[in-house]
C-alpha cells in the first residue's frame, strides 16, 4: 500500500482551478449486489487517505517517477503542473468466521489521479500550491462478509467515483506558517502516524473514535499549521461536520467539526527519529443519546494521542538510509452516551528493509481494539463489548513502480457479535 512520508499538515498540494476537469467523475451512489450480505453500517464508509506518491517513512521525496513519466517525459509540459496516476487492487477472502464464508472472496480496486500545481512555477505568485484528487473505485468491500466494525480493507470505498479533494495551500515565513482551504482529507493531517501507512486495516491508519472527515467522506474546511519551534508544531482545523461522498459542495447542514493537535518531533541520539502528538476534537452537531432514544444533545468530543519511535536502525552512519524498526502506539476516547465507541487503542511495529538485499521491502504487525459503548451495545444487542483486529503483512517492492503485499488479519468478535474471522489478502499497486 501507499506510504505517507512527512507529517507536515500540508505536504499534499492541490489544484482547485482544474476541478471542472473532473465534473464527469462526480459522486455516484454504489448499487447493492444481489446475494451479497448487507455491509455493517459502521464499515460502509471506511477508507484510507490515498496519497501520492509511494514514499518511505520520514522522507519528503519528490514525486515518484511513474511509468508514463519515464517513457514520456514531456507528457505534461513543465514542472509547474504535475500529474500522479496510481492503481491499487486487492483480493481478500473471509476464510473462517465472520458473517459468511461461502463465496466470501472479493476483489476491490481503485484508480487515483492527482494534479499538483505550483503557483510560482506557473508564473503567478510565490508560496502557493493547488491540488485536486479524483478516484475511481470498484469491487466488493470484504467487510461485507466479515461484518467487522473497523474495516479490513482500508481502500475499499462504497462510492464508485468522486472528486475527493480540491484545495489551495499558502505558506508564510519560510513555511513556518501555512493555511489550507477547500475540500480536503482532514484525516491526513490529524491523529495519524506515518509508520502505520502500510497497514490495510482501516483503524490502524485512521483512529475510529475521532469521527474525523476522511476519504471517501472528505469535507470542506480551513486548516492551519504553525511551527512554534523546530521540534514543536501546532495544527488546527474546522470542517463541515456532515461531509459525505455524495457532496461535491458543502452539506449546508450547519454542523462544524474542529480538530486540534500539538506535536513534537525529535531524534534519540540524533539517529533514531520519533514523533509524539496530543490531539482533541469537537463536533457541534446534534446527537441522539444512545441510552435515551429520541433525546438529542448538542456536541460530541474526544481526544487522541500517539507516538512512533524508531528503535533499531540498520545503518547509523548514513542519514539517508532509513532501514530499521519503528514501533507505534495510539489511544483515544470519546463520549459514549452519543457514540458507537467509547475507546480505541492500537500497538504495532513496522520494519523497513528486513533483508540486506531487499532494502525497500517492509514487514509489519499491529493490533487494534475498539470498545463499544454501552448504549450502542444495547441497541444492537451485541454479544461482546469489544472487537480486536490482528494484522501481519509483508510488502515486496517488485520494481520502482510496482508493489506486491501479502496480508493476514485475525479479527476477534467481528462487529461484537460474530465468530472470530481469518482474512488473508493480497494487494498490488502500480504507479503509472
Amino acid at each position: 500500500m501507499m506510504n505517507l512520508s512527512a507529517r507536515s499538515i500540508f505536504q499534499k498540494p492541490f489544484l482547485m482551478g482544474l476541478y471542472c476537469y473532473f465534473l464527469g467523475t462526480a459522486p455516484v451512489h454504489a448499487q447493492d449486489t444481489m446475494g451479497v450480505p448487507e455491509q455493517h453500517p459502521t464499515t460502509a464508509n471506511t477508507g484510507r487517505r490515498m496519497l501520492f506518491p509511494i514514499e518511505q517513512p520520514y522522507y519528503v521525496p519528490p514525486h515518484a517517477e511513474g511509468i508514463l513519466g519515464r517513457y514520456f517525459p514531456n507528457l505534461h509540459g513543465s514542472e509547474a503542473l504535475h500529474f500522479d496516476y496510481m492503481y491499487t487492487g486487492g483480493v481478500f477472502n473471509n476464510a473462517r468466521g465472520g458473517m459468511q464464508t461461502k463465496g466470501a472472496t472479493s476483489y476491490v480496486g481503485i484508480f487515483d489521479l492527482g494534479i499538483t500545481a505550483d503557483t510560482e512555477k506557473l508564473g503567478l505568485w510565490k508560496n502557493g500550491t493547488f491540488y485536486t484528487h479524483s478516484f475511481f473505485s470498484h469491487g466488493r468491500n470484504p467487510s461485507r462478509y466479515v461484518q467487522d466494525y473497523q474495516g479490513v480493507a482500508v481502500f475499499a470505498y462504497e462510492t464508485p467515483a468522486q472528486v475527493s479533494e480540491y484545495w489551495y495551500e499558502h505558506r508564510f515565513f519560510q513555511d513556518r506558517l501555512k493555511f489550507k482551504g477547500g475540500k480536503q482529507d482532514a484525516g491526513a493531517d490529524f491523529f495519524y502516524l506515518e509508520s502505520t501507512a502500510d497497514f490495510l486495516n482501516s483503524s490502524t491508519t485512521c483512529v475510529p473514535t475521532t469521527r474525523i472527515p476522511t476519504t471517501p467522506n472528505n469535507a470542506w474546511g480551513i486548516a492551519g499549521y504553525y511551527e512554534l519551534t523546530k521540534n514543536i508544531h501546532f495544527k488546527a482545523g474546522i470542517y463541515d461536520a456532515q461531509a459525505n461522498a455524495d457532496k461535491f459542495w458543502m452539506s449546508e447542514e450547519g454542523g462544524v467539526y474542529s480538530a486540534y493537535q500539538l506535536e513534537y518531533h525529535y531524534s534519540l541520539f540524533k539517529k533514531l527519529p520519533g514523533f509524539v502528538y496530543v490531539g482533541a476534537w469537537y463536533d457541534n452537531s446534534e446527537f441522539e443519546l444512545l441510552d435515551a432514544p429520541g433525546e438529542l444533545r448538542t456536541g460530541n468530543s474526544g481526544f487522541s494521542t500517539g507516538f512512533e519511535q524508531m528503535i533499531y536502525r540498520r545503518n547509523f552512519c548514513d542519514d539517508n538510509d532509513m532501514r530499521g524498526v519503528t514501533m507505534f502506539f495510539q489511544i483515544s476516547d470519546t463520549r459514549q452516551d452519543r457514540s458507537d465507541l467509547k475507546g480505541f487503542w492500537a500497538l504495532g511495529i513496522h520494519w523497513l528493509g528486513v533483508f540486506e538485499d531487499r532494502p525497500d521491502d517492509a514487514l509489519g504487525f499491529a493490533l487494534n481494539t475498539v470498545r463499544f459503548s454501552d448504549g450502542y451495545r444495547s441497541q444492537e444487542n451485541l454479544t461482546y463489548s469489544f472487537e480486536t483486529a490482528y494484522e501481519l503483512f509483508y510488502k515486496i517492492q517488485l520494481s520502482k513502480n510496482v508493489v506486491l503485499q501479502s496480508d493476514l488479519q485475525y479479527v476477534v468478535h467481528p462487529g461484537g457479535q460474530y465468530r472470530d474471522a481469518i482474512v488473508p489478502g493480497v494487494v498490488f499497486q502500480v504507479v503509472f
Side-chain angles (χ1 to χ4, degrees), residues 52-54 63-72 75-76 82-89 110-114 399-403 428-432:
F52 301 95
I54 295 179
H63 292 275
E65 181 187 23
I67 297 172
L68 294 177
R70 184 183 309 166
Y71 294 102
F72 303 96
L75 183 64
H76 305 305
H82 188 94
F83 289 70
D84 288 294
Y85 314 88
M86 180 159 42
Y87 183 83
T88 305
I110 183 167
F111 176 78
D112 291 271
L113 171 59
S399 70
K400 185 176 181 179
N401 304 101
V402 181
V403 168
F428 70 95
Q429 184 180 84
V430 181
V431 176
F432 295 97

Side-chain angles (χ1 to χ4, degrees), residues 56-57 59 314 321-324 350-362 394-395 397:
Q56 299 296 349
Y59 279 107
R314 182 180 288 272
D321 188 347
M322 297 304 298
R323 290 177 297 168
H350 182 276
W351 189 352
L352 177 65
V354 181
F355 303 105
E356 181 68 31
D357 58 344
R358 304 289 307 173
D360 296 320
D361 289 2
Y394 188 81
K395 185 187 74 171
Q397 191 82 35

Side-chain angles (χ1 to χ4, degrees), residues 92-98 100-105 142 145-146 408-409 419-425:
F92 298 85
N93 174 256
N94 184 30
R96 197 202 78 172
Q100 176 180 327
T101 56
K102 184 178 180 181
T105 299
Y145 306 104
V146 183
L408 179 64
Q409 296 185 46
R419 191 163 67 100
D420 296 358
I422 298 177
V423 187

